[in-house]
Amino acid sequence: MPGKRVPKGRDGLRARRHKRVRAKVAGTPERPRLVVFRSLKHVSVQLVDDVQRKTLMTVTDSGLTGKKTEKSVGVGKRVAEQAKAAGITKVVFDRGGYQYHGRVKAVAEGAREGGLEF
């Protein structure tokens, strides 16, 4: 079979969905890609410039307290604050193959509250 085979487990299916999303979403220096990764316990966000293939910044939920969704809102606000300090006001949202629901949606809402435009 040609191409790379992806396992059919939960992670494999998410990888396939993320691949579909990435076919349509790309970050530029003016409008980087806001990538969400969520594990069972934590959430992390990266701002990525796909043209230069550089990660501009990474924000995690370390140091935040509360429930996982509350931490996710805090991560969104934190990334918006750091992005604005770096001169970035507009981003492209990449949900990472996850449903736009729960913690992923909370990150997006926190980033919007912090002043980022999607």
Side-chain angles (χ1 to χ4, degrees):
M1 280 187 193
K4 182 179 173 186
R5 292 193 58 181
V6 178
K8 291 186 180 180
R10 184 200 326 230
D11 290 336
L13 294 174
R14 184 188 77 81
R16 287 175 63 184
R17 285 191 302 270
H18 194 193
K19 191 175 173 184
R20 278 198 307 268
V21 170
R22 287 286 293 116
K24 299 171 187 164
V25 175
T28 63
E30 304 83 38
R31 195 174 179 126
R33 181 167 52 101
L34 181 80
V35 189
V36 177
F37 174 77
R38 77 177 170 81
S39 69
L40 292 177
K41 292 184 177 182
H42 299 287
V43 172
S44 64
V45 175
Q46 292 182 328
L47 282 181
V48 179
D49 175 5
D50 291 314
V51 175
Q52 296 178 0
R53 295 180 154 188
K54 300 272 186 195
T55 300
L56 304 175
M57 67 182 64
T58 302
V59 178
T60 64
D61 61 2
S62 62
L64 297 174
T65 58
K67 295 182 179 179
K68 291 187 278 189
T69 308
E70 295 166 359
K71 287 182 184 180
S72 299
V73 172
V75 168
K77 288 180 182 178
R78 216 185 251 184
V79 76
E81 177 185 311
Q82 290 183 18
K84 286 172 74 176
I88 298 167
T89 57
K90 294 184 178 184
V91 296
V92 179
F93 190 72
D94 179 0
R95 60 191 173 88
Y98 303 108
Q99 282 188 339
Y100 186 79
H101 177 76
R103 289 189 279 160
V104 176
K105 185 176 178 181
V107 168
E109 289 172 351
R112 284 192 186 106
E113 284 177 27
L116 285 182
E117 293 180 43
F118 292 21

